[in-house]
């Protein structure tokens, strides 16, 4: 019997949650080990290169992965055309950046970046060979296979990274870890995807047909990459590698937390919303449910992480990272909104309005870059606060576009997210006050995690929140099936 859309969505969310929870748990364990072995300067070296890697990756993908997912019924010819185009772009981008490596070193006043960048940039060449396989898995909601791919890859690459760090390879261990991860994902994507390229019929006509849509996605992704990494770029230029590393560690841990939630919902959001394109009222109902689900999880997780950031970093990785804990507490505010941010932008994409997404992202980039350049003289904390305020405020810009496209007005949007935000804030405030007198950091960490989880769950249960009930019923049904 064919699965209903609701069943596919629920299964996708389940495997997305399992995938990202396992990935981040593994990343947590190995990140702690690497954090104890490496210095802020080591992380700063890689952080300076991050923006170039992500831009090159976006060029390699060229927005065609999203374009394929947005097609109602993509053909083999579409996949084949994108496959060969991506490889050409990926290799070309690497060659250009290979020769630009000395210029990157000059910008950061760090000659060691030349050989490091030439090695680190190999990752997006590896990635170019699996973009289509990953797009096929995504389009067909093969979340289970994606979960296996990602978990295996992060386990393998993290193990190699730790071995390299123990061997004294310092920042090189981070570059090796990154490349091993990308290569492993590529190999496993080929294993799980049944699609194979046809070398006998190579044509770029489908790419030309998708170009108008995909080029806007490409420009949007590149601009988003700049937005997300602008502080790494400016801190690396205006401050030291040590300062950049402290911020990057905070950004990475903050990202690990919200990325679990974001990936869980975006793994199903676009395919599901595209499938409901002709059923506008049902599409809005699904959109609202996805947003409530994201808010139900993201606010307690992110606000809770901010509450325990100092205890977590100092206990697990040492006092050398205490500065990063303060940065995390600020970044977690915007991190709580990231999964919702992603759902709204996926709704815009599902309507085929990639131009709106591009224009909104470009304006945001200009505003953010200008603000960061004007404020760097006032210190790193001021820049992070401004970055957070801008990211939270811009979510209402995306909602305004969704409102215009769907009729999902701001009153409903606020009603969908505000209760979860207020309950999470109240729980964190109560927990912080109740545990303030605990002196031992490890005991305080455990006490705060336990208390926030119990209090938040209790409030949601007493309030008979529908999202919680549906999550419980789904998990119970999965457990019952396994027993049967």
């Amino acid at each position: 019997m064919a699965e209903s859309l609701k069943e596919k969505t629920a299964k996708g969310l389940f495997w997305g949650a399992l995938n990202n929870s396992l990935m981040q748990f593994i990343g947590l364990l190995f990140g702690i080990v690497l954090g104890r072995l490496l210095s802020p300067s080591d992380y700063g070296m890689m952080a300076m290169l991050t923006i170039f890697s992500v831009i090159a990756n976006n060029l390699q993908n060229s927005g065609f992965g999203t374009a394929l997912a947005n097609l109602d019924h993509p053909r083999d010819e579409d996949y084949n055309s994108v496959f060969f185009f991506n490889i050409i772009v990926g290799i070309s981008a690497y060659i250009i950046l290979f020769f630009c490596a000395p210029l990157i070193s000059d910008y950061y006043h760090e000659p060691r970046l030349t050989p490091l960048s030439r090695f680190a940039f190999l990752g997006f060449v590896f990635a170019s060979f699996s973009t289509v396989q990953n797009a096929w898995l995504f389009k067909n909601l093969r979340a289970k296979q994606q979960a296996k791919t990602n978990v295996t890859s992060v386990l393998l690459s993290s193990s190699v990274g730790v071995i390299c760090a123990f061997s004294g390879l310092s920042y090189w261990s981070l570059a090796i870890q990154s490349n091993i991860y990308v290569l492993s994902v590529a190999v496993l994507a080929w294993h799980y995807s049944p699609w194979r390229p046809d070398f006998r019929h190579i044509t770029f006509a489908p790419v030309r047909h998708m170009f108008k849509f995909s080029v806007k996605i490409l420009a949007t992704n590149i601009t988003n990459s700049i937005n997300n990494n602008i502080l790494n770029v400016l801190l690396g230029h205006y401050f030291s590698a040590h300062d950049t590393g402290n911020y990057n560690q905070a950004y990475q841990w903050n990202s690990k937390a919200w990325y679990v939630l974001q990936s869980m919902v975006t793994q199903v959001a676009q395919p599901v919303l595209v499938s409901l394109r002709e059923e506008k009222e049902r599409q809005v109902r699904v959109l609202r449910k996805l947003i409530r689900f994201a808010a139900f999880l993201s606010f307690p997780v992110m606000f809770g992480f901010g509450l325990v950031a100092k205890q977590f970093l100092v206990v697990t990785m040492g006092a050398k990272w205490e500065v990063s804990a303060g940065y995390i507490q600020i970044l977690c505010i915007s991190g709580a909104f990231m999964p919702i941010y992603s759902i709204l932008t996926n709704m815009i994409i599902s309507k085929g309005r990639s131009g709106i997404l591009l224009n909104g992202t470009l304006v945001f980039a200009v505003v953010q870059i200008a603000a960061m350049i004007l404020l760097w003289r006032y210190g790193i904390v001021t820049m992070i606060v401004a970055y957070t305020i801008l990211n939270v405020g811009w979510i209402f810009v995306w909602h305004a576009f969704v409102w215009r496209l769907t009729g999902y007005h701001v009153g409903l949007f606020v009603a969908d997210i505000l209760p979860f935000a207020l309950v999470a804030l109240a729980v964190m405030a109560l927990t912080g006050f109740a545990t303030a007198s605990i002196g031992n950091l490890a005991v305080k960490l455990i006490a705060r995690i336990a208390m926030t989880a119990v209090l938040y769950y209790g409030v949601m249960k007493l309030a008979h929140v529908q999202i919680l009930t549906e999550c419980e019923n789904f998990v119970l049904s999965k457990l019952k099936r396994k027993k049967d």
Side-chain angles (χ1 to χ4, degrees), residues 305-379:
F305 187 39
L307 180 66
V308 303
K310 179 180 177 180
Q311 296 80 46
F312 170 73
L313 287 191
V314 174
V315 169
T316 58
M317 297 193 297
K320 65 182 177 181
W321 295 108
E322 189 170 351
V323 172
S324 298
Y327 299 162
I328 288 175
Q329 291 173 332
I330 303 170
L331 291 170
C332 278
I333 298 171
S334 59
F337 289 87
M338 288 299 103
I340 300 168
Y341 185 111
S342 183
I343 294 170
L344 291 173
T345 55
N346 270 279
M347 184 66 182
I348 295 170
I349 293 173
S350 74
K351 293 290 187 180
R353 305 300 294 271
S354 56
I356 290 177
L357 192 62
L358 172 59
N359 293 333
T361 305
L362 285 172
V363 173
F364 180 57
V366 172
V367 171
Q368 182 168 252
I369 292 171
M372 295 301 106
I373 292 175
L374 290 173
L375 294 172
W376 77 266
R377 294 176 179 83
Y378 300 98

Side-chain angles (χ1 to χ4, degrees), residues 384-403:
I384 295 173
V385 169
Y387 173 87
T388 297
I389 292 172
L390 287 171
N391 274 274
V392 173
W394 211 258
I395 196 171
F396 291 96
V397 174
W398 293 130
H399 172 265
F401 288 121
V402 172
W403 182 2

Side-chain angles (χ1 to χ4, degrees), residues 51-325:
I51 191 167
F52 300 101
S53 293
V54 294
I55 288 175
N57 273 323
N58 289 327
L59 285 170
Q60 167 262 309
N61 180 58
S62 305
F64 289 113
T66 304
L68 287 170
N70 208 53
L71 294 175
D72 291 325
H73 303 289
R75 305 163 301 165
D76 280 345
E77 294 92 328
D78 299 322
Y79 285 114
N80 208 58
S81 183
V82 171
F83 175 81
F84 289 105
F85 181 81
N86 282 349
I87 291 174
I88 293 171
V89 174
I91 294 174
S92 300
Y94 177 76
I95 293 171
I96 292 170
L97 283 174
F98 181 92
F99 290 106
C100 288
L103 299 178
I104 296 171
S105 297
D106 289 343
Y107 174 79
Y108 288 117
H109 317 295
E110 179 52 81
R112 292 177 297 172
L113 287 175
T114 297
L116 180 64
S117 61
R118 286 172 171 170
F119 175 76
F121 295 156
L122 284 171
F124 53 81
V125 177
F126 302 150
S128 67
F129 285 87
S130 63
T131 300
V132 169
Q133 279 72 16
N134 283 312
W136 188 95
L137 293 171
F138 176 77
K139 175 65 177 177
N140 291 276
L141 292 173
R142 300 297 176 89
K144 182 177 180 179
Q145 288 77 9
Q146 289 177 293
K148 291 180 178 179
T149 295
N150 293 329
V151 170
T152 302
S153 298
V154 76
L155 184 60
L156 175 62
S157 61
S158 298
S159 300
V160 173
V162 167
I163 292 171
C164 292
F166 266 120
S167 301
L169 292 178
S170 62
Y171 52 83
W172 283 98
S173 60
L174 297 173
I176 293 169
Q177 177 187 10
S178 177
N179 280 352
I180 292 293
Y181 174 78
V182 175
L183 183 59
S184 179
V185 167
V187 171
L188 290 172
W190 274 75
H191 172 70
Y192 286 117
S193 170
W195 184 86
R196 293 293 181 268
D198 186 349
F199 290 85
R200 297 168 301 174
H201 301 96
I202 300 175
T203 174
F204 296 111
V207 164
R208 289 194 295 271
H209 179 72
M210 288 183 273
F211 184 76
K212 185 177 180 181
F213 177 87
S214 65
V215 73
K216 294 174 184 177
I217 296 297
L218 168 62
T220 301
N221 289 340
I222 290 176
T223 310
N224 270 328
S225 298
I226 295 172
N227 289 339
N228 293 337
N229 292 279
I230 189 63
L231 283 180
N232 280 325
V233 175
L234 294 178
L235 293 179
H237 183 68
Y238 292 120
F239 300 92
S240 67
H242 185 274
D243 293 324
T244 307
N246 271 321
Y247 167 75
N248 185 253
Q249 187 72 275
Y251 178 79
Q252 291 300 324
W253 282 111
N254 176 63
S255 299
K256 285 179 189 296
W258 61 254
Y259 187 74
V260 174
L261 309 171
Q262 184 190 62
S263 297
M264 186 193 312
V265 292
T266 56
Q267 193 158 274
V268 300
Q270 193 195 354
V272 170
L273 292 172
V274 167
S275 69
L276 296 174
R277 197 151 38 192
E278 304 303 320
E279 303 176 66
K280 294 183 179 180
E281 290 185 6
R282 189 182 175 196
Q283 189 184 48
V284 172
R285 288 199 303 271
V286 170
L287 170 68
R288 293 188 63 190
K289 181 168 285 190
L290 286 170
I291 286 176
R292 288 195 296 270
F293 177 76
F296 165 69
L297 292 177
S298 65
F299 287 113
V301 169
M302 296 310 303
F303 292 168
F305 187 39
L307 180 66
V308 303
K310 179 180 177 180
Q311 296 80 46
F312 170 73
L313 287 191
V314 174
V315 169
T316 58
M317 297 193 297
K320 65 182 177 181
W321 295 108
E322 189 170 351
V323 172
S324 298

